[in-house]
């Protein structure tokens, strides 16, 4: 899932790679099925629906950094404002063979970090001011290496492609009534079938996206361990962030809820969301995976 220089890589996690590959096959099958149904029932509307979804995907992909920064109120900072943080990111980028991203600081009592941007050359990595106070230098380095791994793995592109069919289904679900009126033909039965199929496809594609997102987090955790060669630092950081999250007042977590999919740990109380509906794996599973990686690195 992640590859850097030969000095700090080790065997590929074939189990994780296989699960990601299988998820993509299932997403592709949903694509083929849904597009086939649309084209069969409403050949005249096929290109309109695909076009609308393409516009949404285009905006999501090319303006993701601006939208996330605006939503989180994160501010791009220059090197003279945060020289130590810039030096840390530059060192990690050298290890990961990445160009230097823009760096942002997000004012929030929720300790967290995120990455966004459509490609490594248009990336932004950000940290909240509270996480910089909470973590040690090694722990913060491990967290930021995790975020740079998302950049390295081009996860914005990955999730944009994965979400495309869900966008098409969502358009149909929310506009089926008006599409039926605009159709101008006696197609009520076909639109009812299309509405039901769209709901089913939206549910299945959303669950597959959540599954892919969780695998993406495992891959970024692994990437952090590769870059820093210190998985124990990320384990410590994840435990600290999770522990502090439970004590953050609910109103502050609600303020940043829109960016939960981007955060290293969602701003949620530990048991407030079933894992199957989460964008992230459970803390316990992430720690177990990192401990396995640590054993691999030590050769036993």
């Amino acid at each position: 899932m992640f590859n850097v220089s030969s000095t700090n890589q080790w065997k590929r996690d074939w189990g994780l790679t296989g699960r990601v590959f299988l998820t993509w096959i299932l997403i592709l099958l949903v694509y083929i099925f849904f597009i086939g149904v649309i084209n069969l029932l409403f050949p005249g509307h096929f290109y309109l629906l695909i076009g609308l979804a393409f516009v949404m995907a285009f905006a999501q992909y090319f303006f993701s950094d601006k939208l996330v920064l605006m939503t989180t109120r994160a501010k791009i900072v220059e090197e003279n404002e945060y020289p130590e943080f810039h030096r840390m990111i530059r060192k990690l980028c050298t290890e990961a063979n990445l160009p230097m991203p823009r760096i942002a600081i997000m004012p929030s009592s929720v300790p967290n970090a995120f990455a966004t941007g459509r490609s490594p050359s248009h990336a932004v990595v950000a940290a909240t001011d509270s996480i910089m106070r909470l973590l040690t230098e090694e722990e913060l380095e491990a967290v930021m290496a995790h975020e740079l791994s998302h950049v390295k793995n081009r996860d914005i592109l990955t999730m944009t492609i994965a979400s495309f069919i869900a966008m098409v289904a969502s358009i149909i679900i929310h506009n089926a009534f008006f599409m039926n009126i605009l159709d101008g033909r006696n197609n009520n039965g076909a639109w009812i079938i299309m509405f039901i199929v769209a709901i089913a496809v939206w549910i299945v594609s959303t669950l597959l996206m959540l599954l892919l997102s969780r695998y993406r987090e495992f891959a970024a955790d692994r990437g952090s361990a590769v870059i820093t060669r210190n998985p124990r630092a990320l384990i410590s950081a994840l435990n600290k962030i999770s522990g502090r999250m439970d004590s953050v007042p609910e109103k502050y977590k609600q303020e940043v809820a829109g960016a939960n999919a981007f955060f290293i740990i969602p701003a949620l109380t530990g048991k407030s969301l079933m894992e199957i509906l989460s964008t992230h794996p459970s803390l316990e599973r992430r720690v177990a995976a990192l401990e396995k990686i640590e054993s691999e690195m030590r050769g036993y």
Side-chain angles (χ1 to χ4, degrees), residues 65-66 69 76-77 86 89 100-104 117 122-126:
D65 53 344
K66 295 178 177 61
L69 289 175
I76 299 294
V77 294
H86 272 75
I89 301 298
M100 186 71 176
R102 288 177 293 162
I103 296 174
H122 295 86
V124 178
V125 293

Side-chain angles (χ1 to χ4, degrees), residues 170-295:
S170 180
I171 291 171
I172 292 174
I173 292 168
H174 289 95
N175 299 282
F177 176 75
F178 297 104
M179 288 178 175
N180 185 28
I181 293 175
L182 293 173
D183 198 12
R185 292 173 292 177
N186 188 21
N187 277 341
N188 289 342
W191 275 109
I192 291 172
I193 294 172
M194 189 71 260
F195 182 73
I196 294 171
V197 170
I199 291 175
V201 166
W202 182 84
I203 292 171
V204 172
S205 59
T206 298
L207 290 176
L208 288 172
M209 279 192 301
L210 292 173
L211 187 62
L212 187 63
S213 180
R214 292 195 289 274
Y215 293 152
R216 180 192 67 160
E217 292 302 320
F218 280 126
D221 284 350
R222 191 173 184 89
S224 172
V226 172
I227 294 170
T228 64
R229 296 177 288 281
N230 187 5
R232 182 57 52 180
L234 185 57
I235 291 172
S236 178
L238 292 174
N239 280 317
K240 275 189 181 180
I241 296 167
S242 181
R244 181 62 62 88
M245 201 72 73
D246 289 340
S247 64
V248 174
E250 197 64 33
K251 67 175 183 177
Y252 296 125
K253 289 189 279 192
Q254 289 175 355
E255 288 175 358
V256 298
N260 272 335
F262 293 89
F263 287 153
I264 189 168
I265 288 183
L268 299 163
T269 303
K271 296 181 180 179
S272 64
L273 194 66
M274 292 186 303
E275 188 177 349
I276 193 172
L277 297 177
S278 174
T279 55
H280 291 58
S282 68
L283 176 63
E284 292 76 17
R285 292 182 64 196
R286 293 176 75 176
V287 168
L290 284 165
E291 287 175 341
K292 180 182 175 183
I293 292 169
E294 186 177 35
S295 296

Side-chain angles (χ1 to χ4, degrees), residues 61-222:
Y61 179 60
F62 282 94
F63 301 105
S64 61
D65 53 344
K66 295 178 177 61
L67 292 172
V68 174
L69 289 175
M70 184 171 58
T71 301
T72 59
R73 296 183 294 112
K75 177 189 174 186
I76 299 294
V77 294
E78 302 301 328
E79 187 166 3
N80 62 345
E81 298 176 87
Y82 285 84
E84 293 298 324
F85 195 41
H86 272 75
R87 275 194 285 273
M88 176 187 290
I89 301 298
R90 185 172 288 107
K91 171 192 168 188
L92 293 171
C93 286
T94 300
E95 292 290 331
N97 193 27
L98 282 169
M100 186 71 176
R102 288 177 293 162
I103 296 174
I105 300 297
M106 174 181 167
S108 174
S109 59
V110 177
N112 236 308
F114 65 87
T116 185
R118 65 182 183 270
S119 67
S121 58
H122 295 86
V124 178
V125 293
T128 61
D129 50 6
S130 56
I131 200 175
M132 299 179 76
R133 294 190 295 269
L134 175 67
L135 302 183
T136 66
E137 183 177 347
E138 279 192 342
E139 292 165 346
L140 182 60
E141 190 174 80
V143 166
M144 300 317 296
H146 169 101
E147 299 307 331
L148 287 169
S149 296
H150 281 308
V151 175
K152 182 86 173 180
N153 292 335
R154 296 179 180 266
D155 282 330
I156 290 293
L157 175 60
T158 297
M159 296 312 294
T160 299
I161 295 172
S163 65
F164 186 81
I165 203 68
M167 291 181 194
V168 177
S170 180
I171 291 171
I172 292 174
I173 292 168
H174 289 95
N175 299 282
F177 176 75
F178 297 104
M179 288 178 175
N180 185 28
I181 293 175
L182 293 173
D183 198 12
R185 292 173 292 177
N186 188 21
N187 277 341
N188 289 342
W191 275 109
I192 291 172
I193 294 172
M194 189 71 260
F195 182 73
I196 294 171
V197 170
I199 291 175
V201 166
W202 182 84
I203 292 171
V204 172
S205 59
T206 298
L207 290 176
L208 288 172
M209 279 192 301
L210 292 173
L211 187 62
L212 187 63
S213 180
R214 292 195 289 274
Y215 293 152
R216 180 192 67 160
E217 292 302 320
F218 280 126
D221 284 350
R222 191 173 184 89

